[in-house]
């Protein structure tokens, strides 16, 4: 292929695409290069693949793609061989030679590396046949398999920038906005505000210099879909921003990335440079008369900056405190100019809506909101990973059919959606659809899409304590009710966990929760009581057990549990005695050991070290 | 300084703001020394108070010199559920730093918490000098540090 | 040209000008809304949340801070509804628990019928209302104090917690503090005056000839005299 030059107009873009189509390679190997898999040394696997193919003289013919997240993080490092779409899991360096020899050259399958479906007890060859993928509708994540995020050519060959070209040359901004509205696209960042309406508000402001911001400050603990999109398919977000810029009348986009995501930052920067080189960003894009450029801003570690007005303050180089509204950002945003802030996932959906048309896009989804939503399914779930499903799919299907149920064969106790701002839903509510309104009504929220699954080994009191302590450090501290309310709620929950609370504390906790919900200024404060209020609503029994019986049913709260050695199971091997950092374990060789209660710090090191599994916490 | 300029660095990629300058100082010095911040205030005309507010508000800014090695424990929800709290406590105990983290007395290690690194499948996760280690337990964490010290 | 418009305040049709806050309109009509961080002459801050009012029709209403919320045509505002009073009382209870020794807060709480405090008293001396910060910046054109850290760790101090070179020891910050009663601890003690201002030296006339003390009589000096 010729070196990519500047694409001056739509014709040149189309010519490039038809060239790419001709040269398209069917055979290639995708190695997941995402953070998750790289912990299992996927980088080395990638290197070895390249080396082995080079040695065999196949590197020209069969390219290796270091892709973004393939979703199934549980099985990392993941390798998929195309065109057969053979899915290999937990691949290490030694396996590469065999894969190349057998699969790439001879077209045979390496049995031992295939995914084993525990339910049907059989091996599955094709990625899309694996239950984890089969149930999903991977509109956004699907391309992650096929493209190298570092290559704009790969994106072009997947219909890349076709939507932008269509919007700039065939549609007016009003038409773009209408299309987005008809697609029922709603903000994926948490609040679920209709994107079309947001854009229209900004479009109607007759001011020079407007801004469109991509909110990539994904601070929700336990959620990583935005990171995966940015790392796996950064151009789709850039294209979404360009279209958003066109529709709102702004010529400047800013991607605000949290600094905990260095890889994403690098990929986005690279993508912007590539887009500038090919003329997808800059002046008079594709001879349409529209100018647009994108820059990045890097966060500095503050959860509250995910709140749009705090984010704007942070870009301006100020302390990331939310602003008083009104005025709204669409009136007075970044540097006092009308500003639109959209989430990464929202923007990544935009090119598809323009390309497919609203009707086709909204075919997946529910009555109120169209399209798919990515959830990060984590916690005590068998298949940890990213899951993309049509909005409105019941929780049960996501957890059991895609997620494969609870890890270790336990039972589901609760599922938490929406991160620190969401609520915990009990097992009997799993049939509610994952829809903005439905989740809100149930006392939780969609949030940005974290989905945390808990089994009976999780203490709900401890869980709300965790979120409260998270929020007490992340609140900006400006509003007295948020700062002090969270502190006091935390104080009470800590007392419950320590077994020193009384029944009246629970009423007080509820009253406090309502107060915080009603009286704080920004989204962080307003939702900060959700974990407490929802666990109080659905798991009150657990709070009562802590208070009335001084007992932690899940065996988690340290003040209320003891660690003991089952005298019948203990073989007296002495491992725990050697490992105990407090020297609390005594016992003769080959005789059952016991724990000195007064010395025990309940750290649990003995439990994990015991070969007989004789030590428990209860 | 206050106006929007996107050609501040040679790539023209990052927005120039006081936060970017501070990030650059931290990259060069490892932390934010007081003198540097004062100079930044003089050069940019930003009140020193504002710079101090920003430096303390954002958690990635350090006002103290850091240890030779940085150990980051992810305390995201998934990691928390799988016991990152215990891992952190254990590490804090081994290194002799407070329950909120900090730098060990010999200046060798800095222990800190981070909200979520987005690699939840590997929970609990710790990062030592940029290297990710998944599925850590308190026992493994202790071993890792003790091995390092040898 | 001044534009007049009407909206509903506690069931009455009232008139307001553009750019007036609800708090100002209510004050104009003689309706008292308690405030802490608000002060005439300083920009509204909206941090203490005490001036909450209910905006919107019943059932669809929300609580907003009246000091920052602009009066708009046709809105429906209730300043002393059940919802408002309940939250206001809770806030005051929290205030008293945070700063139990402040007379100002105690008076305010008792005025609103807060009779018990169900939280552990904290004994703080600053409620971070930020009056001092705004006084310093907006009226005294200084930049000596500001907010530091965040969340429950947030506090007001000088850069690097050292005596600020920008501080002219005007004492304006202490003058506007609604919480501290005994602001000056006498000319001998070189400690903080109250945690909201952190001037390391007391601005007593006896010690610094060029500044004057706003306390009349200065409690600390009175103590010193015996």
């Amino acid at each position: 292929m010729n070196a990519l030059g500047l694409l001056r107009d739509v014709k040149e873009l189309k010519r490039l695409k038809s060239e790419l189509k001709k040269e398209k390679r069917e055979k290639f190997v995708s190695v997941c290069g995402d953070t998750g898999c790289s912990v299992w040394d996927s980088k080395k696997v990638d290197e070895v693949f390249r080396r082995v193919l080079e040695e065999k003289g196949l590197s020209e013919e069969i390219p290796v793609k270091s892709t973004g997240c393939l979703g199934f993080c549980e099985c990392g490092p993941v390798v998929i061989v195309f065109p057969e779409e053979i899915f290999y899991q937990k691949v290490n360096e030694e396996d590469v030679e065999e894969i190349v020899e057998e699969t790439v050259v001879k077209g045979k399958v390496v049995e031992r590396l295939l995914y084993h479906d525990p339910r049907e007890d059989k091996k599955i060859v094709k990625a899309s046949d694996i239950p984890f993928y089969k149930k999903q509708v991977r509109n956004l994540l699907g391309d992650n398999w096929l493209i190298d995020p570092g290559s704009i050519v790969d994106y072009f060959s997947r219909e890349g920038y076709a939507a932008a070209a269509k919007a700039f040359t065939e549609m007016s901004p009003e038409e773009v906005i209408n299309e987005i509205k008809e697609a029922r696209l709603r903000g994926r960042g948490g609040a679920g505000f209709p994107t079309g309406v947001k854009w229209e508000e900004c479009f109607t402001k007759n001011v020079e210099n407007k801004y469109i911001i991509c909110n990539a400050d994904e601070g929700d603990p336990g959620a990583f879909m935005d990171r995966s999109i940015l790392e796996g398919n950064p151009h789709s977000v850039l294209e979404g921003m360009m279209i958003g810029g066109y529709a709102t009348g702004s010529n400047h986009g800013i991607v605000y990335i949290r600094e905990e995501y260095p890889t994403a930052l690098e990929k986005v920067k690279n993508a912007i440079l590539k887009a500038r080189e090919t003329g997808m960003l800059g002046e008079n894009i594709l001879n349409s008369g529209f100018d647009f450029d994108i820059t990045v801003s890097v966060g500095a570690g503050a959860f509250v900056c995910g709140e749009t007005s705090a984010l704007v303050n942070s870009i301006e180089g100020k302390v990331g405190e939310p602003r008083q509204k009104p005025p709204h950002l669409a009136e007075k945003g970044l540097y006092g100019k009308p500003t639109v802030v959209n989430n990464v996932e929202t923007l990544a959906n935009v090119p598809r809506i323009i390309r497919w048309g609203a009707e086709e896009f909204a075919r997946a989804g529910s009555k109120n909101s169209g399209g798919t939503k990515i959830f990060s399914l984590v916690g005590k779930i068998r298949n940890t990973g990213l899951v993309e499903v049509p909005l409105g799919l019941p929780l049960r299907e996501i957890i059991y059919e895609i997620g494969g149920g609870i890890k270790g064969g336990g039972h589901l106790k609760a599922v938490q959606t929406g991160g620190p701002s969401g609520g915990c839903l009990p097992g009997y509510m799993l049939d509610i659809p994952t829809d903005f309104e439905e989740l809100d009504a149930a006392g939780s929220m969609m949030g940005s899409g974290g989905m945390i699954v808990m089994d009976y080994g999780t203490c709900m009191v401890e869980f709300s304590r965790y979120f409260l302590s998270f929020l007490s450090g992340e609140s900006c501290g400006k509003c007295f009710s948020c700062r002090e309310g969270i502190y006091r709620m935390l104080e009470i929950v800590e007392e419950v966990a320590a077994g020193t609370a009384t029944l009246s504390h629970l009423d007080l906790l509820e009253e406090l929760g309502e107060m915080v919900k009603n009286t704080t200024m920004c989204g962080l404060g307003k939702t900060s009581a959700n974990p407490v209020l929802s666990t109080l609503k659905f798991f009150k029994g657990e709070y009562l057990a802590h208070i009335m019986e001084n007992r932690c049913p899940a065996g988690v709260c340290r003040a209320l549990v003891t660690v003991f050695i089952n005298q019948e199971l203990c073989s007296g091997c002495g491992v725990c005695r050697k490992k105990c950092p407090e020297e609390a374990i005594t016992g003769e060789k080959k005789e059952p050991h016991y724990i000195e209660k007064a010395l025990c710090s309940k750290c649990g090191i003995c439990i994990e070290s015991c070969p007989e599994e004789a030590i428990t916490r209860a | 300084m206050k106006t929007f300029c996107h050609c501040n660095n040679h790539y023209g990629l990052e927005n120039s703001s006081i936060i970017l300058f501070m990030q650059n100082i931290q990259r060069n010095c490892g932390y934010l020394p007081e003198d540097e911040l004062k100079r930044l205030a003089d050069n940019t005309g930003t009140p020193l108070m504002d710079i101090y507010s920003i430096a303390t508000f954002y958690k990635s800014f350090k006002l103290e010199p850091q240890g030779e090695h940085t150990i980051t424990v992810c305390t995201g929800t998934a990691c928390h559920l799988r016991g990152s709290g215990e891992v952190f406590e254990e590490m804090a105990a081994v290194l002799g730093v407070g329950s909120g983290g900090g730098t060990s007395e010999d200046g060798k290690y800095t222990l800190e918490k981070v909200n979520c690194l987005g690699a939840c499948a590997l929970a609990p996760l710790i990062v030592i000098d940029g290297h990710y280690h998944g599925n850590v337990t308190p026992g493994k964490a202790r071993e890792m540090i003790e091995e390092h010290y040898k | 040209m001044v534009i007049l418009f009407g909206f509903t305040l506690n069931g009455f049709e009232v008139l307001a000008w553009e750019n007036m806050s609800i708090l100002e309109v209510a004050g104009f009509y003689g309706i008292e809304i308690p405030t802490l961080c608000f002060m005439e002459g300083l920009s509204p801050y909206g941090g203490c949340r005490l001036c909450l009012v209910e905006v919107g029709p019943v059932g669809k209403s929300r609580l907003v801070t009246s000091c920052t919320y602009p009066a708009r045509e046709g809105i429906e505002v209730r300043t002393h509804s059940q919802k408002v009073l309940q939250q206001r009382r809770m806030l005051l209870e929290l205030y008293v628990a945070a700063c139990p020794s402040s007379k100002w807060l105690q008076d305010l709480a008792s005025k609103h019928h807060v009779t018990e405090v169900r939280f552990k008293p904290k004994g703080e001396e600053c409620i971070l209302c930020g009056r001092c910060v705004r006084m310093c910046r907006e009226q005294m054109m200084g930049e000596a104090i500001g907010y530091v850290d965040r969340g429950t760790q947030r506090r007001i101090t000088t850069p690097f917690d050292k005596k600020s070179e920008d501080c002219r020891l005007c004492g304006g910050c202490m003058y506007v503090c609604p919480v501290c009663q005994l602001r000056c601890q006498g000319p001998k003690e070189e400690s903080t005056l109250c945690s909201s201002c952190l001037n390391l030296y007391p601005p007593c006339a006896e010690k610094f000839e060029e500044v004057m003390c706003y306390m009349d009589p200065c409690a600390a000096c009175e103590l010193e005299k015996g």
Side-chain angles (χ1 to χ4, degrees), chain A residues 59-93:
Chain A
S59 56
E60 271 293 300
E61 210 178 307
I62 302 156
V64 178
K65 291 184 181 179
S66 174
T67 68
C69 184
L70 300 174
F72 208 171
C73 306
E74 194 68 39
C75 301
V78 174
V79 172
I80 306 182
V81 183
F82 287 90
E84 299 92 341
E85 219 183 89
I86 301 168
F87 182 93
Y88 289 129
Q89 59 158 354
K90 298 185 179 150
V91 179
N92 57 35
E93 292 163 63

Side-chain angles (χ1 to χ4, degrees), chain A residues 119-372:
Chain A
R119 260 199 223 167
E120 306 209 350
D121 196 24
K122 64 168 190 199
K123 302 250 179 184
I124 295 172
V125 179
K126 231 178 135 178
S128 44
D129 288 339
I130 296 172
F132 177 79
Y133 290 119
K134 210 172 177 180
K135 272 265 166 183
Q136 297 186 43
V137 178
R138 292 168 68 84
N139 286 345
L140 292 173
L141 292 174
D143 281 357
N144 276 17
W145 289 2
L146 306 170
I147 64 174
D148 178 347
S151 151
I152 195 170
V153 175
D154 273 13
Y155 188 63
F156 276 131
S157 68
R158 298 290 305 165
E159 291 292 310
Y161 292 108
K166 184 179 169 190
F168 298 167
T169 54
E170 294 168 28
M171 297 165 87
S172 68
E174 289 95 334
E175 282 172 326
V176 174
I177 291 172
N178 267 339
E179 200 72 24
I180 302 290
K181 273 189 184 168
E182 268 168 44
R184 301 194 299 274
L185 178 67
R186 295 175 60 174
R188 303 291 198 244
F193 194 78
T195 307
V197 178
K198 206 184 234 182
W199 286 7
E200 193 170 35
E201 246 174 77
C202 190
F203 172 70
T204 51
K205 301 281 176 307
N206 202 1
V207 182
E208 254 180 67
N209 282 341
K210 301 178 193 171
Y211 294 99
I212 179 162
I213 299 173
C214 168
N215 181 352
D217 189 59
E218 185 178 45
D220 275 21
F224 54 103
M225 44 266 146
D226 291 351
R227 197 206 66 200
S228 300
I229 296 175
L230 289 175
E231 288 182 13
N233 199 351
H235 286 287
S236 66
V237 181
L238 300 189
E239 193 181 354
M241 281 180 85
M242 290 162 65
I243 298 169
Y246 179 71
T248 54
S250 65
N251 303 99
H252 199 132
I254 297 166
V255 187
Y256 184 87
I257 305 185
R258 70 196 282 244
E259 59 124 31
E260 288 91 337
Y261 288 170
T263 322
L265 177 66
E266 189 195 309
K267 297 235 161 111
V268 170
K269 278 186 179 174
N270 177 43
I272 294 174
L273 287 179
K274 291 265 167 70
R276 281 185 190 169
E277 275 166 26
T278 49
M280 292 299 109
L281 288 175
E283 281 174 13
N284 193 11
I285 300 169
L286 296 171
N287 200 21
S288 64
F290 176 62
D291 311 333
F292 193 72
D293 200 8
I294 298 177
T295 51
V296 296
S297 246
V298 186
F303 174 68
V304 69
C305 286
E307 206 275 346
T308 50
S309 61
L311 184 149
V312 165
N313 273 345
S314 177
I315 294 178
E316 287 184 11
K318 296 178 186 156
V319 164
E321 272 170 24
R323 295 180 181 177
Q324 293 280 358
K325 283 168 238 166
H328 289 279
L329 292 182
E331 293 166 41
K332 240 180 141 185
L334 187 63
Y335 305 107
K337 302 290 179 190
T339 303
V340 168
V341 182
N342 285 124
N343 169 267
V344 172
E345 201 185 329
T346 318
L347 289 170
N349 270 309
V350 169
R352 274 172 191 78
I353 297 176
I354 301 298
R355 227 160 52 213
W356 294 351
E359 203 178 313
E360 175 66 28
F361 175 83
R363 192 166 291 167
S366 68
K367 194 168 87 248
N368 300 317
S369 35
T372 54

Side-chain angles (χ1 to χ4, degrees), chain B residues 9-133:
Chain B
N9 55 16
H10 59 282
Y11 288 122
L13 277 174
E14 289 185 22
N15 294 315
S16 66
S17 77
I18 203 87
I19 295 180
L20 179 70
F21 295 141
M22 289 165 76
Q23 280 164 336
N24 286 340
I25 294 176
Q26 177 146 311
R27 207 168 300 136
N28 292 334
C29 307
Y31 74 109
L32 297 175
E34 197 178 321
D35 295 343
E36 288 288 327
L37 292 186
K38 278 188 180 147
R39 217 166 58 203
L40 181 66
D42 290 342
N43 289 343
T44 58
T46 316
L48 184 62
M49 188 62 237
D50 287 1
I51 292 180
Y52 188 56
S53 291
I54 292 168
T56 51
F57 183 89
Y58 293 103
K59 285 299 153 219
S60 68
F61 290 128
K62 318 279 183 231
L63 289 162
E64 303 279 323
Q66 300 295 293
E68 270 171 61
H69 305 282
T70 309
I71 304 175
T72 315
V73 179
C74 179
T75 54
T77 321
C79 290
H80 177 77
L81 284 181
R82 296 195 193 172
S84 71
E86 275 88 27
V87 171
F88 187 86
E89 273 174 38
E90 194 56 37
M91 289 204 146
V94 177
L95 295 172
V97 296
S99 60
T103 305
S104 61
E105 227 164 71
D106 55 4
K108 227 174 155 186
Y109 293 94
T110 297
L111 180 67
E112 56 183 25
K113 288 181 187 175
V114 65
N115 278 342
C116 184
L117 294 164
C120 308
L122 312 151
L125 183 75
I126 64 170
V127 186
I128 304 181
D129 294 334
H131 293 283
Y132 288 66
H133 301 269

